[in-house]
Amino acid sequence: VFGVWSDKPQVRHHRSRLIMRRLLFIVLLCACGVSFAQYTEDQIRTAIRQAGGPERFMQEMARQTARNLPTRTNANVEVQSIAANGKQLMYVTRLLNVEKSSVQDIEALKRSNVNFAGCRSPILGFLIREHDAKISYSVLARGTEFLFQYDLDRKNCVNK
């Protein structure tokens, strides 16, 4: 998939960026619920190493993903923004079918809208398991009022 490696710094840098772009594209597709061919853990591990570690990989993930936002992951959820801070990715999403004034039980709304797909994602799941990354979501109502926040990490991704 990635071709022959070279000892030339320019070629290594170009290949590293190419791998990163491919992996980031897959992460974005995964966030949008699209099926794709799965990269192996060795390929993901190599891309993280070539990016300079998990923090730099996640920064680049956020930068590349932000270029395509806002985007709808389904008819009711829109990803508004993404940011990286160390080994944490922070998403802001909006529930397009929810008005805050109509919410009577915020905990029930949260339970029905927490999405554990990141735990099962080949790339995000690997970052969580192998690098103790955290994926945080702030969820807004249609009118952009704050509703709730949740995290995906090693603890709450167990058996998900």
Side-chain angles (χ1 to χ4, degrees), residues 105-160:
D105 185 348
I106 203 78
E107 286 303 313
L109 179 69
K110 181 177 180 177
R111 281 191 304 277
S112 67
N113 283 281
V114 169
N115 185 343
F116 290 98
C119 299
R120 296 181 299 274
S121 158
I123 296 169
L124 294 178
F126 182 84
L127 288 166
I128 291 167
R129 285 188 317 276
E130 300 294 321
H131 295 284
D132 203 25
K134 183 193 309 187
I135 315 301
S136 297
Y137 294 89
S138 292
V139 181
L140 310 177
R142 179 171 44 194
T144 70
E145 303 91 356
F146 178 81
L147 292 171
F148 59 88
Q149 187 272 331
Y150 69 95
D151 298 322
L152 301 180
D153 55 23
R154 278 186 184 165
K155 179 182 174 186
N156 57 28
C157 278
V158 172
N159 300 321
K160 298 294 182 190

Side-chain angles (χ1 to χ4, degrees), residues 13-52:
H13 177 71
H14 174 71
R15 289 204 186 282
S16 172
R17 297 205 39 93
L18 180 62
I19 292 169
M20 177 72 74
R21 284 193 181 121
R22 288 178 182 172
L23 288 173
L24 294 174
F25 179 71
I26 288 171
V27 168
L28 181 61
L29 290 178
C30 179
C32 296
V34 177
S35 298
F36 56 87
Q38 188 170 320
Y39 279 100
T40 68
E41 286 192 356
D42 284 341
Q43 290 169 323
I44 297 167
R45 192 175 286 111
T46 298
I48 291 169
R49 183 178 39 78
Q50 289 182 345

Side-chain angles (χ1 to χ4, degrees), residues 62-147:
R63 192 177 71 74
Q64 293 289 333
T65 303
R67 290 179 174 178
N68 298 300
L69 298 179
T71 190
R72 289 189 181 186
T73 60
N74 63 44
N76 299 317
V77 178
E78 184 175 75
V79 179
Q80 296 282 298
S81 66
I82 182 174
N85 183 15
K87 290 193 275 184
Q88 181 178 15
L89 283 177
M90 298 161 287
Y91 289 91
V92 175
T93 62
R94 191 164 61 119
L95 298 178
L96 301 173
N97 62 344
V98 175
E99 289 286 346
K100 185 167 184 168
S101 59
S102 67
V103 175
Q104 300 199 9
D105 185 348
I106 203 78
E107 286 303 313
L109 179 69
K110 181 177 180 177
R111 281 191 304 277
S112 67
N113 283 281
V114 169
N115 185 343
F116 290 98
C119 299
R120 296 181 299 274
S121 158
I123 296 169
L124 294 178
F126 182 84
L127 288 166
I128 291 167
R129 285 188 317 276
E130 300 294 321
H131 295 284
D132 203 25
K134 183 193 309 187
I135 315 301
S136 297
Y137 294 89
S138 292
V139 181
L140 310 177
R142 179 171 44 194
T144 70
E145 303 91 356
F146 178 81
L147 292 171

